[in-house]
Amino acid sequence: MVDVSPHRRPAAAPSTDPTDLVDPTDPTGFTDMAELAGLLRRLPPSCGPVRLVGVDGHAGSGKTTFAGRLATTLGDAPVLHLDDIATHAELLTWTERLLREVVEPLRAGRTARFRPYDWNARRPGPARDLPPAPVVLIEGVGAGRRALRPYLARLLWMELPREEAWARGGRRDGGESGEMATFWAGWVEAERRHFTEDATKPCADLLVRQCSEGYEVLPGPRMRPGPDQNVTGRDDPSAMC
């Protein structure tokens, strides 16, 4: 939980505008998890009956930890970890399978069923259910990809420079030597290629920065587009954002 009482705004009518998370007179822009969770609950459904919320960012940027804390604040909301969808053969090229196994059932109000990948055994593990809860979080590299954006109620980007994130992720996974070093080199190249072809940050509704205690949440580029940014409607799957 984030202790940011000095930055809390006076009570106001509920809003679903992400910019309302931030006091425009306060450059720090701090919020707390409860406030963010409340905003997400109030959003209209985006994928059938589900408010699907994407948490994207570079590997090692803190997506899993943040999504876990947010899920707890939301009352143990289901979380789909994209590391369970990716495989050695499909590091970031699993879009069609995710749409078929997860998104389409949720759109229909049904429980999705998928087989999380076992990275040690190099094969899918036992099937797992993902229920169509009011809010479902999807976290991992590529959670905000173009093919998924039409189904997202909100897209959050973990704001950490890629080199810093990759270094942290490599240390976490033992990717500094041996077989894991080879894997990490391949992952970094795949991630560079993915975000070059399908950038997420320009389409993010909110930016999330990890602080020494908690998180800072700011309106993302999609909420405050610049004059040269191509931002289009969310309804067209081929839209840039």
Side-chain angles (χ1 to χ4, degrees), residues 3-239:
D3 182 10
V4 293
S5 53
H7 303 282
R8 294 299 299 277
R9 296 177 283 104
S15 170
T16 59
D17 182 352
T19 61
D20 285 350
L21 284 170
V22 182
D23 181 346
T25 66
D26 179 3
T28 63
F30 278 94
T31 185
D32 65 18
M33 283 290 189
E35 190 174 6
L36 178 57
L39 177 139
L40 297 177
R41 289 192 187 100
R42 294 191 298 270
L43 293 173
S46 60
C47 183
V50 175
R51 294 153 187 82
L52 195 61
V53 176
V55 180
D56 205 340
H58 295 293
S61 60
K63 300 177 298 298
T64 302
T65 299
F66 173 78
R69 293 181 181 178
L70 180 57
T72 298
T73 308
L74 284 162
D76 294 327
V79 181
L80 175 65
H81 303 286
L82 290 177
D83 282 351
D84 290 338
I85 301 298
T87 69
H88 282 91
E90 295 180 325
L91 293 178
L92 289 165
T93 56
W94 33 255
T95 303
E96 293 304 319
R97 183 159 45 86
L98 180 68
L99 293 174
R100 182 179 65 253
E101 296 181 359
V102 176
V103 173
E104 290 305 325
L106 294 181
R107 284 185 69 192
R110 303 194 311 269
T111 295
R113 192 169 177 82
F114 66 100
R115 296 180 64 189
Y117 186 66
D118 185 326
W119 288 89
N120 293 318
R122 292 178 174 256
R123 61 174 180 268
R128 185 176 300 170
D129 290 344
L130 184 71
V135 180
V136 174
L137 306 181
I138 175 170
E139 71 84 16
V141 176
R145 62 183 51 202
R146 187 177 299 111
L148 290 180
R149 288 197 284 268
Y151 309 107
L152 297 180
R154 284 294 182 269
L155 172 56
L156 283 61
W157 174 264
M158 300 300 296
E159 183 78 320
L160 188 68
R162 64 184 186 182
E163 299 297 338
E164 184 178 345
W166 290 336
R168 189 165 75 171
R171 290 192 299 270
R172 175 196 65 198
D173 295 344
E176 298 173 326
S177 62
E179 184 178 349
M180 280 303 299
T182 302
F183 173 83
W184 258 94
W187 175 274
V188 166
E189 177 57 32
E191 189 175 311
R192 286 183 191 274
R193 186 166 56 250
H194 168 73
F195 284 128
T196 297
E197 298 170 355
D198 190 352
T200 294
K201 183 178 176 179
C203 300
D205 299 300
L206 297 171
L207 301 180
V208 181
R209 296 172 182 161
Q210 188 170 4
C211 305
S212 57
E213 294 184 8
Y215 297 89
E216 180 183 24
V217 180
L218 298 169
R222 190 173 185 275
M223 291 293 105
R224 295 181 177 177
D228 299 325
Q229 185 174 351
N230 181 7
V231 179
T232 60
R234 200 182 278 273
D235 295 331
D236 180 3
S238 64

